[in-house]
């Protein structure tokens, strides 16, 4: 399972800890930056990670900015992306089970490292339940055409 990860300058300090954590869990990770704490713009990292997921180069994506809001809004502009911004694990888990989210976003100004890891773990462990939820996810996809 390959993960794409990206962040802006505000998410920069949290990202390496999340990369280490998901590697420990056994995931392969491609880091799409940013690579310094120099001021940058979150949409460009949302684009890189979204394109990696849509193309199939990576299975899932993780995005970090200050709140997770701007970077998730940006990711959701890409056809095929269902990005969720979470600051607690329950929504992260349900977003995969019911909404088949393929990108998880969170904010480094909102969650600390231990809570972020818990959110990531719940999201990665969860599986889409299909069934009645498939129909709804397909209805979302129809908005893209
Ligand atoms: C950058 O200052 C900040 O706006 C960004 O990290 C993010 O929180 C946007 O949603």
């Amino acid at each position: 399972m390959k993960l794409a990860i990206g962040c802006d300058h505000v998410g920069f300090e949290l990202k390496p800890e999340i990369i280490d954590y998901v590697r420990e869990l056994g995931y392969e990770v491609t880091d799409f930056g940013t690579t310094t704490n120099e001021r940058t713009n979150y949409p460009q990292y949302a684009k890189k990670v979204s394109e990696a997921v849509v193309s199939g180069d990576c299975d899932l994506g993780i995005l970090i900015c200050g709140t997770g809001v701007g970077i998730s809004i940006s990711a959701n502009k890409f056809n095929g992306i269902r990005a969720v911004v979470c600051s607690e694990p329950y929504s992260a888990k349900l977003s995969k089970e019911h909404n088949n989210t393929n990108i998880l976003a969170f904010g480094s100004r909102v969650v600390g490292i231990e809570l972020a890891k818990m959110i990531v773990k719940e999201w990665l462990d969860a599986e889409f339940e299909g069934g009645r939820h498939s129909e709804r996810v397909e209805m979302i996809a129809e908005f893209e055409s």
Side-chain angles (χ1 to χ4, degrees):
M1 177 74 86
K2 286 189 197 165
L3 304 181
I5 189 161
C7 66
D8 71 355
H9 56 291
V10 186
F12 173 70
E13 283 184 20
L14 204 51
K15 189 182 63 174
E17 300 195 61
I18 296 297
I19 290 175
D20 288 348
Y21 179 62
V22 294
R23 284 194 174 132
E24 276 168 28
L25 293 176
Y27 292 88
E28 223 178 284
V29 184
T30 305
D31 183 0
F32 286 91
T34 184
T35 54
T36 71
N37 60 2
E38 195 177 321
R39 184 175 298 214
T40 183
N41 303 304
Y42 55 79
Q44 65 196 83
Y45 303 97
K47 180 175 193 288
K48 288 175 192 209
V49 167
S50 297
E51 286 176 344
V53 172
V54 169
S55 69
D57 288 346
C58 293
D59 301 291
L60 296 169
I62 295 176
L63 289 168
I64 313 166
C65 68
T67 58
V69 173
I71 211 158
S72 60
I73 290 173
S74 308
N76 276 315
K77 298 297 177 189
F78 290 81
N79 283 358
I81 293 299
R82 291 172 303 280
V84 62
V85 55
C86 282
S87 52
E88 41 73 29
Y90 181 78
S91 302
K93 177 179 159 70
L94 269 286
S95 81
K96 182 79 88 59
E97 291 178 350
H98 290 193
N99 317 112
N100 202 14
T101 48
N102 49 14
I103 290 187
L104 170 70
F106 47 87
S108 64
R109 287 173 171 155
V110 181
V111 297
I113 181 60
E114 293 309 321
L115 180 55
K117 286 200 265 189
M118 206 179 282
I119 292 166
V120 166
K121 177 92 167 61
E122 285 293 327
W123 185 71
L124 290 174
D125 284 351
E127 283 181 23
F128 182 49
E129 289 176 358
R132 70 186 192 280
H133 302 297
S134 296
E135 204 179 316
R136 294 161 185 163
V137 171
E138 281 160 22
M139 287 170 78
I140 297 171
E142 282 170 21
F143 298 153
E144 294 175 343
S145 52

